C-alpha cells in the first residue's frame, strides 16, 4: 500500500481505538487468508486498455535529471474494464495477474515497477496464486448494462477492489477503473489539485465509456474507496451525467475542509442518492481529539446531504483498509498495520462484512440505476431482516426531503408544478436559503431557451 495511505488509514484507526483497550495486534498467521464470500451471476470479462487523456499533460518538458522528457507527456490512464461475459474455458485472473499490471500503470511500453509496489507485492506473496473471476478479453454478453466508475483510494492501483468490481460486473454492470495518481506524478497529493486530478479522471472514463458497445450511458454511478470517496463527490458536483454515488469510508467525511475550500462542491445542494459505508464506531469528535487541520474543519457532508437519499452503513467489524479486498489479502498490512482488530472482531469477521458491503452496494445500484423495487426494499430493511449476522452492521436510510435552492431544482419544480407557480417556488427557495438569487444572465439564457423551443408562447412565466 502507498505510504500516504498507510499514514491516513493508521491515523484514523488510532483515533478510534487508541485509548480504549479494544484492540489487539493481528499477526500474519492470525486468522484465515482472505477469500470473497459472494457468488457470481454472469461470467466476468476483463479488458486492460492503455490510453491517454490528451487534454492534460502529466510529464514535464524537463525530467528530474534536467533533460528533455522522452516520450508522450499526456496523462496516462491504464484502464480496467470488467463486464458481463460469456462463459469461457480460459483461466481467470489471479491476484498475481492483477499485480503484474502495476508495472505498466504509467509506463505502457517500458514496464517499470513504482518503488512502493515492490514491498506491496512481497506482502501479497501468500495470495498471488489465488484465482478471481475475471477472464482477459472474454466475449461480452450482447446486451447493454449500467456503468459504474470505480475510484481507488490514495495513490492506489485500479484493482484494489477487484473482487467488488468483478462482483458488480457479474450481476449486470460494466465497471471501469483507472489508477489513482496525482496531477503530475504517480503519487497522489492530499490537496485540491490531487482531488481534481482524480475527479477529472472519473469524467474522462465516463466519456470513454461511450465507446463501449455494452454500456447504457443513461445510468451511471461512481463508487470510491477512501480518497476516491471524496473525488467522486467533486466529480458529481461538476458532471451531471453521474446519477448515484457509493463511498467506502470515503474521505468526504474526513476532509470537510477541502470540500469547503473548493468553493463549488455543495453537499447541501446535491440530489443524488448516496450509499456511505463507515468503519463503524468512529466519530468526528474522536478524530478531532487526535489531529486537526484546516482540511478537517468544515460542515459535515453527510449531515448536509438532505436533498438526496442517504443510506449510511456502519461496518462495525471493519477498520479502514478492510474496505479493500486486495488490502485484506496483504499480509504485511496485517503484520504491521497498527490496531488491526476492533474489539473481539476477527479477520474472518472482516471477510464476512466485506461480502455484505458488496451485497449492499449491488442492492443500492439495482435500486437507483435499474429501478428495482425489491432492491429498494432491501435497503430499507434492518440488517437482521436481510440476514446480516448480529453486531456486524448498522444501517440507516434517510429519505430526501424537498428541493434544494438551486437553479436546476427551480427549473425542475417549474416544469412539474407549472410556470404559473414560479413565484411561490422561488419564494420557498429563498426561505430555505436567504442568499439564493437568480442572476440576470442566467434568467436571460433561460428565457431565450424557452422562447426558442416555443415554451414561452405556451406558458406564462408570471
Amino acid at each position: 500500500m502507498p505510504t500516504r495511505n498507510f499514514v491516513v488509514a493508521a491515523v484514523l484507526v488510532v483515533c478510534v481505538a487508541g485509548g480504549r483497550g479494544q484492540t489487539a495486534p493481528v499477526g500474519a498467521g492470525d486468522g484465515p487468508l482472505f477469500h470473497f464470500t459472494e457468488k457470481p451471476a454472469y461470467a466476468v470479462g476483463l479488458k486492460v486498455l492503455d490510453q491517454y487523456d490528451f487534454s492534460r499533460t502529466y510529464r514535464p518538458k524537463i525530467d528530474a535529471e534536467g533533460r528533455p522528457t522522452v516520450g508522450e507527456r499526456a496523462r496516462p490512464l491504464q484502464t480496467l474494464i470488467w463486464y458481463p461475459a460469456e462463459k469461457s474455458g480460459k483461466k481467470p485472473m489471479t491476484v498475481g495477474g492483477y499485480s503484474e499490471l502495476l508495472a505498466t500503470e504509467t509506463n505502457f511500453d517500458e514496464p517499470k515497477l513504482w518503488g512502493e509496489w515492490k514491498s506491496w507485492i512481497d506482502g501479497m506473496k501468500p495470495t498471488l496464486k489465488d484465482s478471481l473471476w475475471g477472464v482477459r478479453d472474454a466475449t461480452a454478453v450482447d446486451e447493454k448494462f449500467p456503468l459504474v466508475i470505480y475510484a481507488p483510494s490514495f495513490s492506489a492501483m485500479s484493482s484494489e477492489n477487484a473482487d467488488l468490481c468483478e462482483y458488480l460486473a457479474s450481476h449486470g454492470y460494466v465497471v471501469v477503473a483507472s489508477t489513482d495518481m496525482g496531477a503530475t506524478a504517480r503519487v497522489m497529493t492530499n490537496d485540491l489539485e490531487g482531488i481534481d486530478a482524480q475527479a477529472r479522471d472519473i469524467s474522462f472514463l465516463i466519456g470513454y465509456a461511450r465507446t463501449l458497445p455494452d454500456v447504457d450511458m443513461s445510468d451511471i454511478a461512481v463508487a470510491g474507496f477512501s480518497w476516491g470517496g471524496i473525488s467522486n463527490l467533486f466529480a458529481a458536483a461538476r458532471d451531471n451525467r453521474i446519477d448515484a454515488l457509493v463511498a467506502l469510508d470515503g474521505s468526504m467525511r474526513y476532509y470537510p475542509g477541502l470540500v469547503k475550500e473548493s468553493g463549488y462542491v455543495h453537499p447541501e445542494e446535491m440530489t443524488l442518492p448516496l450509499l456511505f459505508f463507515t468503519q463503524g464506531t468512529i466519530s468526528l469528535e474522536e478524530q478531532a481529539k487526535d489531529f486537526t487541520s484546516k482540511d478537517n474543519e468544515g460542515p459535515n457532508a453527510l449531515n448536509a446531504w438532505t436533498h438526496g437519499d442517504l443510506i449510511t452503513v456502519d461496518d462495525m467489524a471493519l477498520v479502514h483498509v478492510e474496505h479493500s479486498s486486495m488490502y485484506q489479502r496483504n499480509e504485511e498490512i496485517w503484520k504491521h498495520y497498527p490496531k488491526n482488530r476492533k474489539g473481539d472482531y476477527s479477520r474472518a469477521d472482516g471477510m464476512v462484512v466485506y461480502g455484505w458491503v458488496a451485497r449492499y452496494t449491488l442492492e443500492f445500484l439495482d435500486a437507483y440505476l435499474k429501478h428495482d423495487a425489491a432492491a429498494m426494499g432491501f435497503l430499507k430493511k434492518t440488517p437482521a431482516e436481510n440476514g446480516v449476522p448480529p453486531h456486524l452492521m448498522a444501517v440507516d436510510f434517510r429519505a430526501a426531503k424537498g428541493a434544494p435552492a438551486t437553479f436546476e431544482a427551480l427549473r425542475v419544480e417549474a416544469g412539474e408544478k407549472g410556470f404559473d407557480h414560479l413565484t411561490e417556488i422561488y419564494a420557498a427557495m429563498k426561505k430555505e436559503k436567504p442568499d439564493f438569487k437568480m442572476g440576470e444572465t442566467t434568467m436571460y439564457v433561460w428565457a431565450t431557451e424557452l422562447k426558442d423551443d416555443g415554451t414561452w408562447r405556451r406558458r406564462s412565466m408570471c
Side-chain angles (χ1 to χ4, degrees):
M1 179 193 289
T3 302
R4 173 62 187 177
N5 211 27
F6 262 126
V7 173
V8 174
V11 170
L12 291 175
V13 176
V14 169
C15 288
V16 180
R20 295 183 176 185
Q22 292 185 339
T23 61
V26 178
D30 186 359
L33 297 178
F34 178 86
H35 64 273
F36 188 48
T37 60
E38 298 304 295
K39 304 299 180 184
Y42 289 101
V44 179
L46 170 69
K47 292 186 183 297
V48 180
L49 174 68
D50 296 335
Q51 63 178 331
Y52 293 93
D53 180 356
F54 291 103
S55 71
R56 291 182 283 168
T57 56
Y58 174 75
R59 295 184 174 89
K61 287 185 177 181
I62 305 300
D63 66 19
E65 297 179 357
R67 300 171 182 174
T69 297
V70 177
E72 181 58 61
R73 299 203 306 272
R75 185 171 180 82
L77 289 173
Q78 184 182 74
T79 305
L80 273 58
I81 307 140
W82 294 273
Y83 54 93
E86 303 289 351
K87 289 185 178 180
S88 168
K90 296 180 181 178
K91 291 183 178 180
M93 289 288 287
T94 62
V95 174
Y98 278 112
S99 297
E100 289 172 3
L101 297 175
L102 299 176
T104 54
E105 286 181 320
T106 59
N107 299 280
F108 301 154
D109 300 323
E110 298 180 10
K112 181 180 179 182
L113 200 61
W114 185 40
E116 299 284 353
W117 292 140
K118 295 176 182 178
S119 59
W120 167 266
I121 293 176
D122 284 342
M124 299 295 287
K125 284 181 178 178
T127 60
L128 289 176
K129 294 182 180 180
D130 290 356
S131 294
L132 280 77
W133 298 346
V135 174
R136 288 288 292 267
D137 301 317
T139 301
V141 171
D142 188 18
E143 295 180 34
K144 287 186 177 292
F145 301 96
L147 173 66
V148 179
I149 304 295
Y150 179 78
S153 61
F154 201 95
S155 291
M157 63 286 194
S158 51
S159 61
E160 70 172 6
N161 258 319
D163 295 84
L164 173 62
C165 295
E166 291 183 344
Y167 176 68
L168 297 178
S170 80
H171 286 272
Y173 292 90
V174 175
V175 185
V176 181
S178 65
T179 302
D180 183 54
M181 306 182 299
T184 58
R186 174 60 187 82
V187 64
M188 175 52 77
T189 56
N190 62 325
D191 53 21
L192 290 179
E193 183 181 39
I195 295 174
D196 182 68
Q198 189 175 25
R200 292 182 67 182
D201 289 346
I202 291 168
S203 289
F204 175 86
L205 294 177
I206 292 174
Y208 160 72
R210 294 187 66 87
T211 68
L212 299 175
D214 54 351
V215 170
D216 179 358
M217 292 296 293
S218 64
D219 297 293
I220 301 171
V222 184
F225 166 44
S226 191
W227 195 252
I230 189 171
S231 297
N232 66 351
L233 172 65
F234 277 56
R238 294 188 303 192
D239 193 333
N240 62 19
R241 295 173 295 182
I242 298 171
D243 301 302
L245 295 178
V246 178
L248 296 103
D249 208 22
S251 293
M252 69 174 77
R253 184 172 185 240
Y254 302 109
Y255 290 89
L258 292 176
V259 175
K260 180 180 179 181
E261 186 183 347
S262 73
Y264 69 89
V265 181
H266 303 290
E268 73 279 5
E269 296 178 358
M270 305 292 274
T271 58
L272 302 177
L274 168 62
L275 173 63
F276 197 99
F277 295 95
T278 77
Q279 58 174 320
T281 71
I282 188 171
S283 73
L284 298 183
E285 290 76 18
E286 289 169 310
Q287 179 183 338
K289 285 190 301 184
D290 291 271
F291 68 101
T292 58
S293 73
K294 64 181 182 64
D295 293 345
N296 310 115
E297 297 172 357
N300 183 295
L302 298 187
N303 288 345
W305 205 278
T306 58
H307 297 299
D309 288 352
L310 173 65
I311 300 93
T312 305
V313 181
D314 291 330
D315 300 321
M316 309 306 294
L318 300 188
V319 295
H320 185 67
V321 293
E322 288 179 288
H323 289 85
S324 159
S325 60
M326 289 300 184
Y327 294 164
Q328 286 213 42
R329 283 187 171 91
N330 192 299
E331 291 303 297
E332 283 302 308
I333 290 176
W334 293 115
K335 183 178 179 181
H336 299 294
Y337 190 77
K339 312 298 183 183
N340 247 328
R341 182 181 294 164
K342 292 164 63 176
D344 292 328
Y345 295 118
S346 66
R347 290 181 62 174
D349 291 325
M351 282 188 284
V352 171
V353 176
Y354 182 87
W356 281 103
V357 167
R359 176 71 184 279
Y360 268 87
T361 300
L362 175 63
E363 297 288 349
F364 173 81
L365 295 174
D366 283 351
Y368 288 99
L369 296 192
K370 296 183 179 179
H371 314 290
D372 184 283
M376 183 64 75
F378 179 97
L379 296 175
K380 294 181 178 181
K381 291 179 181 178
T382 66
E385 290 173 326
N386 287 327
V388 180
H391 314 302
L392 293 184
M393 280 182 158
V395 179
D396 177 70
F397 186 106
R398 189 174 75 197
K401 294 182 180 180
T406 65
F407 174 57
E408 181 180 356
L410 187 144
R411 299 217 301 187
V412 170
E413 291 282 290
E416 292 179 351
K417 297 180 179 179
F419 280 70
D420 52 333
H421 293 279
L422 188 57
T423 300
E424 60 189 70
I425 294 169
Y426 182 70
M429 290 185 174
K430 288 284 289 183
K431 184 177 181 181
E432 176 176 324
K433 187 177 180 182
D435 61 349
F436 175 66
K437 60 182 179 181
M438 302 286 290
E440 182 177 343
T441 300
T442 299
M443 291 297 292
Y444 174 77
V445 172
W446 188 19
T448 301
E449 290 174 334
L450 291 171
K451 181 179 179 181
D452 289 345
D453 68 11
T455 305
W456 189 279
R457 292 186 293 274
R458 298 193 304 269
R459 298 178 178 178
S460 169
M461 286 191 64
C462 77

